[in-house]
Structures are given as C-alpha cells and as structure tokens.
Amino acid sequence: MTTVREVFFDVCRDAGLTTWFGNPGSTELRMLRDWPDGFEYVLALQEASAVGIAAGHAIATGGPALVSLHSAGGVGHALGAIFNAHRDRVPLVVVAGQQTRAMLPTRPFLGADEPATFPRPYVKWSRQPERAADVPAALAEALRVAMTPPRGPVFLSVPEDDWDRPAGPVPRRFVHTAFTTSPGALHEVAEALNTARAPAVVAGPGIDEDGAWDQAVALAETVRAAVWAAPMPSRAAFPEDHPLFQGYLPPVRSSVASLLAPHDVVLVIGAPVFTYHVHSEGPIVADGTRLFHLDCDPAAAAWAAAGTSILTTVRAGLTALLDLVEPSSRPAPPARSRPPAAPLTDPLTASAVLALLHPMESVLVEEAPSHKDTVHEQVPITRPLGYVTTGSGALGWGLPVAVGRALTGERVICVVGDGSSLYSIQALWTAAQRRAPLTVIVLNNRGYEAVASLGRRIGITSLPGVALPELDLTSLAHGFGVPAARVTSAAALPAALKRALDGPYLLDVHVTTSGGSLY
C-alpha cells in the first residue's frame, strides 16, 4: 500500500521542495518519522521565525518553500510573518498539523477549529481536504496556486492520522504562468511614453520578483524617463547608482503627488498605486499627469484610485512594451545628488555607520524603520535580488528572512533596529547551527524611535512605551550561539565591522536617535 505520506513526499521531490522549514509538534510526528534521504529539515525555535527563514530562502531561489507549523497555536504564532509573505508576494506552502479526524467532533486538545479559515485573508488558497487520500493532490494544487502570479502563501491543514492512509499517485503537471495584456493596451502606454514631455517610471518590487531589472533599465533609458522607487517597497527594482534614478517616493499622498507633478506621464510597474502610511488629502497625481499601471495583481488593479491599470506579468509586459517604444531625444532628467555621509565621529550616527557598507557587495536585508531613509541614501542597491525589507510593516521579518537568504550560501548583511531585532531574535540560533554567512548590524538607539518620530509628526511629543534602555543584545546573541560585540565609539567601529563580516556575527552599534520625523 502506498501511503499519503509517501505520495506527499513524491510531490515535494518532483517540485524541488526538499528543504523544509519548521517548528514541529505532536500533530506532525507521523509526517516526520523515517525522514527520507535527500530531504533536509531546517529547525527554527519559533513559528514566525520558521516562516521568515522559509521566505528568505524562497526569495533567493525564486521558487516555493515549504514551512511546517503546529496546529492552531503554531499558525497563530506565525500569522504576522504569513501576513508579510502575503503582502510581499512570497510563495510559501504552509502545512499545519491537525488532530486525528475521529477526535475532531470532541474539540480535542491541540485541535484547530475551522483551520482553513484561520489564516485567511492572508493566504491565496486554504484547505483541509475532506478525505485523507486527497492530501497529496491538494499539495500539488497548493503549489500551483502559490507560484501563479501574483505569488503568495498557501495553507494546507493535515489531520495527523492521514499520513498512514492509502493514496494514489498524483500526475505531474506544469503551468506556464507568464501572461500579458492585449496589444492595444500596450500600444496606448507606448504612445503616451513616446509623446511625453517628461515621463517618469515608478519601479516596484514586482520588477525584482519577475527578474525584469534589465527590461526596466532598457525602458527607462529608451524613453529617458526619471525613475522613482515605489513607496515602501519590499525589494529594490532599479540600480540606485543609475543617473536616471531619482530616489524613493515617501508613503504620503501629497508628497507623492508633488514629486511626480513635473511629469506628464507616469508609469507604475510592479507596485500598487500607491502605498501610503501617513494620511494626507489631495489628488493621487497632479492634474494633467497621465498615470498607467502595469502589474500582475488584479486586486491591486481594482483598488487603484487613479489612472489606467493593465494586467500583465512584469517581464512579459515590459518585453512587449520595449518593442513599441521609440528611442527619445528629449533631455534626460538631472541626476540626483546623494547626501554625503556624516563623519565617523562620536557620538555615532546611523549615517556614518551605514556609509561604511558602501559599496554593498553582499545582500542587504533591512528592518530599521527609523533609519530607512538613511539606508537608501548611504547604501545604494545596484543589482537584482540585492535588497529585501518588509513591504507590509509587520516587524520581526528582517532577521529570519536574512537567515533564510544566507542559508543559500550568499553573504548577507542584516541592518535591523534594536526594537525590530527582538521580535524574532531566536532566528539567530538557526544561523548559528547552520553557520550561515550572516552579519547582523543592530542600529541601537535605545527605543522605538520610528514610533516616537511619527508621534512628533502629528504633534505628540511624549509617549509611554517607546523607551528600550539596558537591552543586552550581545548576551542574547551569545546565548543563541552567535558571536557578538557592542560598539559605542567611532574609533572601535571599523575593526569591529571587519570582524563581523566573518559571520554569523551580531554587532550592537549604539547610535544617536534620529531626532527628525519620518517622511
């Protein structure tokens, strides 16, 4: 007899899902017994870290990753990270254990009520199959949904006695997911770009997701468009040392409209129109600006509040558009001037610390909200897959994502705030066990400075619950098996940073508070 478990592993093997991430419990025991050759289980110490590490691995490989969670409690712990994966369009297959089917009517210990409903709406697909025999086919369907644009997490709940039930083989199937729109729609965009006085491109993370950096650069150069990064992107999408690159749009409606006002045609690629964090009134774009939007997400196209949205996967759409646009002789927009780094003096500033990372030869993973603008000013990203952050704002994503990226073998530098670091600090243990090439730089301003700064923006000058004095992050790192050092002076920083680049290593760098307002 062929069991559900055997067929399930066959489906995983065919899909290349041979590295699993998770934090196991009793409802996963039958799934994990007699672990097969050729499969690897990457243990994390908490479920949100498991999801984040799996996400970092998926981003690096461009394929799906499987993460194993433990019933309702494990899924609950992981939901913040699943939310991030959903907003950042990361293809994860989340498999959660469930109690034995015969026990479910009695609401047993560790049983999940309505398991398929629990993670919604932050998964694309969610199911607990009606029959044990349907579990492997459900996995195959989940994989196809996760990898269909817009990509994202899916959820499969499996009662723990299903694994030993009989099941038939699942036929292998392939789905080609690239698509583009009608030629007429792209002709409209091309005509607008060809006749524009001063076009602009807003480059979103979908460009990086779909491997379309070359196409985005070619389009901007052909039509001589100014290029802005979309507000709050999860990835970089255009070389930030390119003379056409103008910087990052802030997540404020009035500011976006003002910065884009000089442009008569704006093309948003692979990003929503637009992501905001601070409320302000006014139009989406200035009067007289024609707005076009290329992306694969029908939901984003539906709620976009202005312009013309065109559904297409990014690389296919840009490739077709490049055949329609004409080389322009209009003057290129002026190159932006990058702010100089602050001097490396005491007291240390985030600007001075980050300037030492330029040029960035490693992957940069960032979760330092109060220093995000400084990161973009001092550490330009110049290559695909070179930058990851959280596009949703739910903290605790950066550190485990950095671990997952590093597990693929590429050197990763994770720049994280002291507050952010604590949401998933246990991910350091996995980095230590796997000897991941990871350097964690904590910009420690002894508080939730992003919260305090946003408070000051709206006139709130005093807040409870934003101070974080006397955190001993180096002791925490040592406890998880990661070497660490604290830096409080400019003189000590260069040598400490050199040591930290032989990671895994955590560097706790004490910096001044920004003192300014975000955005």
Side-chain angles (χ1 to χ4, degrees), residues 144-159:
R144 292 191 287 268
V145 173
M147 291 297 292
T148 300
R151 295 177 175 183
V154 293
F155 178 80
L156 177 62
S157 172
V158 183

Side-chain angles (χ1 to χ4, degrees), residues 266-319:
V266 173
L267 174 60
V268 180
I269 306 171
V273 181
F274 289 102
T275 299
Y276 303 122
H277 186 202
V278 175
H279 175 71
S280 67
E281 302 292 344
I284 305 297
V285 290
D287 290 342
T289 296
R290 298 179 67 190
L291 178 65
F292 295 92
H293 174 217
L294 267 62
D295 194 36
C296 63
D297 188 354
W303 64 253
T308 299
S309 289
I310 297 167
L311 285 174
T312 175
T313 51
V314 170
R315 184 163 55 178
L318 287 179
T319 300

Side-chain angles (χ1 to χ4, degrees), residues 395-410:
L395 299 180
W397 185 241
L399 186 52
V401 164
V403 174
R405 285 298 305 267
L407 290 182
T408 64
E410 194 165 10

